[in-house]
Amino acid sequence: HDNALTGSLPSTLGRLSRLRALGLCCNELSGSIPRELGDLANLEVLHVGGNDLVGTVPSSFGGLAKLRRLYVQSNRLSAVDAGVVGRPTKIECLELRWNGFAQRVVDAVIDEIWANRATYERAGRINAPALVIDGDNAAPSEAARAKAWDLEHDVNRDGFVGWTILARGDSRTLPSWCC
């Protein structure tokens, strides 16, 4: 954190098979997020926010079954590939703010959560997951906003409490466990 690191993230980080957390936030890292980070089967926390990363959050992250927290805020990312949000069932916090995402990207993330809501409900967790997609990202469409509202107010028979979704124009704050 804040070590003035420069350059790109090496794809060889994907070989660190026992790695549980990788925190490289608030540096001067550039380039794209290597898809090989999706090979880190034991990864629970990835924090690469506050850099100058571009491109997408790679679809390989969808295979990170133990991923609980993904922080990619405050970069210059253009999209979140399909499968990133839908597969990691242990996700607690997905921090995407301050990337300048277009409305189609914001809507696609909400749509993927919506499409996989039953998977999240069955996964069992202590905290309801949070999606943070405000900042300079576009506001979701009305259809996506309606899905977000449903996701937030979904309490099933097993006691699963829905997502906390903070989108542009939302005045609420993050749950303390997400930060």
Side-chain angles (χ1 to χ4, degrees):
H1 174 27
D2 205 12
N3 291 308
L5 297 175
T6 61
S8 60
L9 290 169
S11 61
T12 53
L13 286 172
R15 295 186 199 150
L16 302 172
S17 61
R18 295 176 132 170
L19 191 66
R20 292 180 56 210
L22 180 59
L24 297 170
C25 66
C26 305
N27 285 289
E28 298 172 25
L29 298 171
S30 58
S32 61
I33 300 173
R35 64 173 176 72
E36 290 84 358
L37 293 183
D39 296 336
L40 297 170
N42 290 304
L43 193 67
E44 295 177 19
V45 178
L46 177 62
H47 197 328
V48 293
N51 285 289
D52 198 26
L53 300 172
V54 296
T56 68
V57 179
S59 60
S60 61
F61 282 25
L64 296 172
K66 295 182 180 180
L67 188 66
R68 293 182 304 111
R69 298 171 188 227
L70 176 60
Y71 302 99
V72 295
Q73 77 279 8
S74 301
N75 282 290
R76 293 186 303 127
L77 299 171
S78 57
V80 178
D81 287 350
V84 172
V85 182
R87 288 189 227 128
T89 58
K90 295 190 183 302
I91 199 83
E92 293 174 355
C93 190
L94 180 58
E95 170 68 88
L96 301 172
R97 70 173 73 183
W98 299 109
N99 275 293
F101 289 134
Q103 186 178 60
R104 68 176 170 71
V105 176
V106 173
D107 287 359
V109 170
I110 292 172
D111 285 346
E112 188 167 349
I113 293 169
W114 175 261
N116 290 283
R117 63 192 180 280
T119 304
Y120 291 113
E121 291 171 6
R122 286 190 303 267
R125 58 173 60 80
I126 296 168
N127 298 310
L131 168 65
V132 185
I133 198 161
D134 60 353
D136 68 343
N137 295 319
S141 67
E142 286 303 314
R145 243 185 232 289
K147 289 176 183 175
W149 191 91
D150 283 348
L151 287 164
E152 288 193 37
H153 295 86
D154 180 28
V155 179
N156 71 10
R157 60 180 160 45
D158 298 322
F160 175 82
V161 179
W163 283 73
T164 299
I165 298 178
L166 300 180
R168 188 172 189 166
D170 200 325
S171 61
R172 296 172 300 159
T173 57
L174 276 174
S176 60
W177 51 263
C178 187
C179 302

